[in-house]
């Protein structure tokens, strides 16, 4: 009996130690100023250690321990409310990316850990990106697309101006995705233009005279107000909401360099509903501080058991600027 009690206490002590172990962060390059690099490393470590402490104690995040501003607090709180998470690595060693406005650190490993009342209660690996201003202050924390998708877009065009825009587009695409995971209707309201065209596709069965039926896509147009009203109802009833992007292609408009078309393969889940399909977004970066989405379309990725042909997927050439 004593031996059993001792073993239990030993395992309990190990578990407590594992939960309390401190995460260290090292930025290998991308920031030449040593004091600035140390400030950013310390900020990331404080955020991740507090995330793990809150997860272990089953409590809300303590933002005073992180030292982040109100905007970051709001964003992380909404993400935490949808599904808590923790960092799975004790040592983060990453490259720092220079952006037009500061710095980014990507590839931060997270394990999403939905609580028992979530429809999706399995753990899931995700990655986060933390952005900093030029002084090393944390500007944002949100879920990121995978590094290989990010680099495929960045390397697809090395023209300096376009490269900067591509970084901005990817940044906003990641914010756009995180907004759904946060159920942030206010962000969606800001990012969609007032006259945005929203097209959704629905697979229906079409009967033929010969007696057989095939699938076809029925398209419906919605205004921004109609779409946001629908999303607000879904957000209110969804116990858990998840958006993932597995493919991404960015195209610049041939005559208007402020317009970009972004095509994504999206996974969309809430409660017991899930679908996969192609999401197209027409972004307007005329005002870089407040980019707008003028067009959003969705199509199923498969029809009649086959992948949707590439020439049937909405793209930039389908819409007049």
């Amino acid at each position: 009996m004593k031996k059993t009690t001792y073993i239990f206490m030993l395992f309990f002590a190990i578990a407590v130690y594992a939960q309390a172990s401190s995460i260290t962060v090292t930025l290998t390059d991308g920031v030449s100023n040593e004091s600035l690099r140390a400030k950013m490393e310390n900020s990331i470590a404080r955020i991740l250690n507090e995330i793990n402490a809150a997860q272990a104690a089953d409590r809300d995040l303590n933002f005073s321990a992180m030292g982040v501003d109100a905007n970051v607090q709001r964003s992380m709180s909404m993400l935490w409310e949808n599904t808590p998470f923790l960092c799975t690595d004790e040592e983060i060693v990453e490259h720092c990316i220079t952006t037009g406005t500061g710095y980014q650190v990507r590839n931060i490993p997270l394990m999403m850990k939905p609580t028992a009342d979530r429809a999706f209660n399995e753990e899931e690996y995700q990655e986060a990106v933390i952005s900093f201003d030029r002084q090393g202050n944390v500007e944002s924390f949100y879920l990121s697309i995978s590094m290989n998708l990010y680099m495929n877009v960045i390397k697809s065009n090395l023209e300096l101006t376009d490269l900067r825009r591509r970084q901005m587009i990817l940044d906003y695409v990641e914010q756009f995705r995180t907004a759904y995971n946060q159920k942030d209707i206010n962000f969606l309201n800001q990012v969609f233009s007032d006259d945005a065209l929203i097209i959704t596709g629905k697979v229906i069965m079409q009967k033929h005279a010969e007696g057989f039926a095939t699938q076809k896509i029925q398209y419906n147009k919605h205004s921004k107000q109609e779409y946001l009203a629908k999303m607000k109802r879904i957000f209110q009833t969804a116990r858990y909401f998840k958006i993932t992007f597995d493919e991404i292609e960015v195209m610049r408009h041939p005559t208007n360099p402020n317009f970009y078309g972004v095509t994504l393969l999206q996974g969309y889940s809430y409660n017991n509903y899930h679908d996969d399909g192609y999401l197209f977004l027409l972004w307007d970066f005329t005002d870089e501080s407040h980019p707008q989405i003028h067009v959003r379309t969705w199509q199923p990725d498969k029809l009649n058991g086959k992948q949707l042909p590439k020439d049937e997927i909405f793209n930039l050439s389908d819409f007049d600027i």
Side-chain angles (χ1 to χ4, degrees):
M1 181 65 180
K2 289 183 178 180
K3 184 177 180 180
T4 302
T5 302
Y6 173 79
I7 293 174
F8 172 80
M9 293 179 65
L10 177 63
F11 275 108
F12 177 79
I14 292 173
V16 170
Y17 172 80
Q19 291 177 339
S21 59
S22 180
I23 297 172
T24 61
V25 178
T26 302
L27 301 181
T28 57
D29 56 353
V31 186
S32 57
N33 185 298
E34 290 187 10
S35 61
L36 181 60
R37 182 172 65 248
K39 178 180 180 180
M40 294 165 62
E41 290 171 342
N42 181 60
S43 293
I44 298 171
R46 288 175 65 183
I47 290 171
L48 298 181
N49 282 312
E50 169 52 24
I51 286 170
N52 283 6
Q55 175 65 235
D58 191 24
R59 60 169 172 79
D60 291 335
L61 297 172
N62 177 10
F63 291 109
S64 62
M66 296 186 187
V68 294
D69 66 21
N71 289 331
V72 180
Q73 292 178 26
R74 174 181 174 275
S75 176
M76 292 188 69
S77 290
M78 296 176 73
L79 192 59
W80 188 265
E81 183 179 353
N82 188 40
T83 175
F85 46 90
L86 79 162
C87 179
T88 55
D89 290 5
E90 293 184 8
E91 184 178 13
I92 306 295
V93 180
E94 281 299 335
H95 167 71
C96 182
I97 297 173
T98 301
T99 67
T101 58
Y103 306 93
Q104 276 191 350
V105 178
R106 309 181 65 84
N107 290 344
I108 298 173
L110 298 179
M111 189 63 71
M112 315 307 284
K113 298 179 72 68
T115 53
D117 63 336
R118 305 300 186 189
F120 300 89
N121 55 17
E122 74 275 10
E123 296 182 1
E124 180 183 80
Y125 178 81
Q126 296 277 359
E127 291 178 355
V129 52
I130 299 178
S131 297
F132 300 83
D133 63 19
R134 290 187 175 91
Q135 289 72 47
N137 301 309
V138 177
E139 285 192 320
S140 62
F141 177 103
Y142 43 84
L143 301 179
S144 65
I145 60 174
S146 66
M147 194 62 178
N148 65 314
L149 292 180
Y150 181 90
M151 293 309 299
N152 284 343
V153 173
I154 291 298
K155 291 180 177 179
S156 62
N157 191 309
L158 298 180
E159 182 183 337
L160 182 59
T161 303
D162 198 45
L163 174 60
R164 180 178 60 83
R165 277 283 177 85
R166 286 167 186 263
Q167 285 182 315
M168 292 180 63
I169 290 166
L170 290 171
D171 186 59
Y172 273 98
V173 164
E174 288 173 331
Q175 291 186 56
F176 181 76
R177 175 202 169 197
T178 303
Y180 282 90
N181 288 284
Q182 294 169 329
K183 299 190 282 189
D184 188 353
I185 200 71
N186 291 328
F187 179 86
L188 299 181
N189 183 53
Q190 293 171 12
V191 79
F192 281 110
S193 66
D194 289 339
D195 59 351
L197 171 63
I198 296 170
I199 301 174
T200 57
K202 181 173 67 172
V203 176
I204 62 172
M205 298 303 297
Q206 182 179 32
K207 294 183 178 180
H208 299 271
E210 294 82 357
F212 65 93
T214 57
Q215 293 179 330
K216 65 174 291 187
I217 304 175
Q218 181 184 77
Y219 292 106
N220 296 297
K221 295 181 180 180
H222 308 276
S223 68
K224 169 185 174 178
Q225 293 72 26
E226 291 169 339
Y227 176 72
L228 292 184
K230 173 188 174 184
M231 291 310 307
K232 187 174 183 178
R233 290 193 298 270
I234 292 175
F235 286 163
Q236 289 172 341
T237 59
R239 297 186 302 278
Y240 176 63
F241 203 97
K242 180 176 68 176
I243 292 283
T244 59
F245 294 150
D246 294 324
E247 295 177 11
I248 181 169
E249 181 180 356
V250 177
M251 296 290 293
R252 184 173 60 176
H253 193 272
T255 60
N256 191 328
N258 290 320
F259 284 77
Y260 288 78
V262 181
T263 304
L264 304 135
L265 180 58
Q266 174 186 264
Y268 180 101
S269 304
Y270 71 91
N271 293 347
N272 295 317
Y273 177 83
H274 176 81
D275 64 42
D276 296 295
Y278 290 104
L279 180 72
F280 172 78
L281 303 171
L282 176 59
W283 287 85
D284 175 4
F285 278 83
T286 302
D287 180 356
E288 291 189 348
S289 62
H290 296 93
Q292 297 273 277
I293 296 174
H294 291 302
V295 177
R296 176 199 181 273
T297 71
W298 184 88
Q299 302 163 276
D301 64 332
K302 293 180 181 179
L303 194 65
N304 295 307
K306 298 180 180 179
Q307 203 72 24
L308 194 67
K310 189 174 180 62
D311 60 1
E312 293 185 22
I313 301 172
F314 286 121
N315 60 57
L316 199 58
S317 63
D318 293 315
F319 302 94
D320 294 330
I321 304 300

